[in-house]
Amino acid sequence: LHHLPRLPKMDSDPAPLPNAIRVAVASNSGESLNGHFGSSIRFLVYELSPEDYQLVDVRSALQADFADDKNGFRVDLIKDCQVVYVVSVGGPAAAKVVKAGIYPIKQIDGGEAPELLERLQGVMNNAPPPWLAKILGASAEERIRYRHTRSAND
């Protein structure tokens, strides 16, 4: 018998994290980023704050195959998220994701969700790029300052 990775466990009623964003991870197994946007079987939805993260939902994408607009169905599944991690995403699907206000992050090599989330936390805490600063609620002036701080330190 093959040991199938179990779905990650969620708190039954997680308390909202302060200053958090929602991050979806395209997954076909366990707590791994290993799904293409248009064919992954589920999205793991995390709440991510600068200090902590928690899994808040596991959303099946299997019904997307029966939808007239498969990519639109998938975007609707994660429309409450600000970021989606995918192994890959096609141009038309990426356009729908961006139009819905979700920032796609393509991670070709995939990885384990906790590692990706911890890396994103590090970026949140250390001069986030303008797109992330905007999601986090920084003003336009603050976003410009982030950019200048980053380029001076790169």
Side-chain angles (χ1 to χ4, degrees):
L1 281 177
H2 282 322
H3 174 68
L4 294 174
R6 295 184 185 273
L7 283 175
K9 291 220 187 294
M10 287 186 302
D11 289 337
S12 55
D13 191 19
L17 296 175
N19 304 315
I21 62 172
R22 287 234 166 156
V23 179
V25 176
S27 179
N28 291 319
S29 64
E31 207 168 357
S32 298
L33 165 63
N34 54 13
H36 181 285
F37 181 81
S39 64
S40 66
I41 60 173
R42 73 182 59 91
F43 290 97
L44 307 173
V45 178
Y46 295 88
E47 208 168 68
L48 177 75
S49 75
E51 298 81 32
D52 201 5
Y53 64 87
Q54 61 189 2
L55 181 66
V56 294
D57 206 1
V58 177
R59 300 179 185 164
S60 172
L62 295 176
Q63 292 297 318
D65 290 342
F66 303 104
D68 291 335
D69 180 355
K70 293 173 179 41
N71 291 327
F73 183 96
R74 289 169 177 279
V75 167
D76 282 346
L77 269 181
I78 60 168
K79 66 179 178 241
D80 60 330
C81 298
Q82 288 79 39
V83 175
V84 62
Y85 275 96
V86 295
V87 171
S88 60
V89 59
K96 286 182 182 185
V97 168
V98 170
K99 187 175 182 190
I102 305 166
Y103 189 86
I105 298 178
K106 194 160 90 172
Q107 191 84 28
I108 296 168
D109 298 333
E112 292 305 305
E115 294 168 16
L116 298 169
L117 295 170
E118 288 165 11
R119 211 173 310 143
L120 186 54
Q121 274 178 323
V123 174
M124 288 170 83
N125 285 310
N126 297 306
W131 68 266
L132 183 55
K134 182 178 181 181
I135 291 170
L136 296 172
S139 69
E141 294 78 26
E142 290 171 312
R143 293 196 304 268
I144 291 168
R145 192 174 67 240
Y146 284 142
R147 192 174 337 156
H148 292 303
T149 305
R150 281 179 56 87
S151 56
N153 295 332
D154 287 348

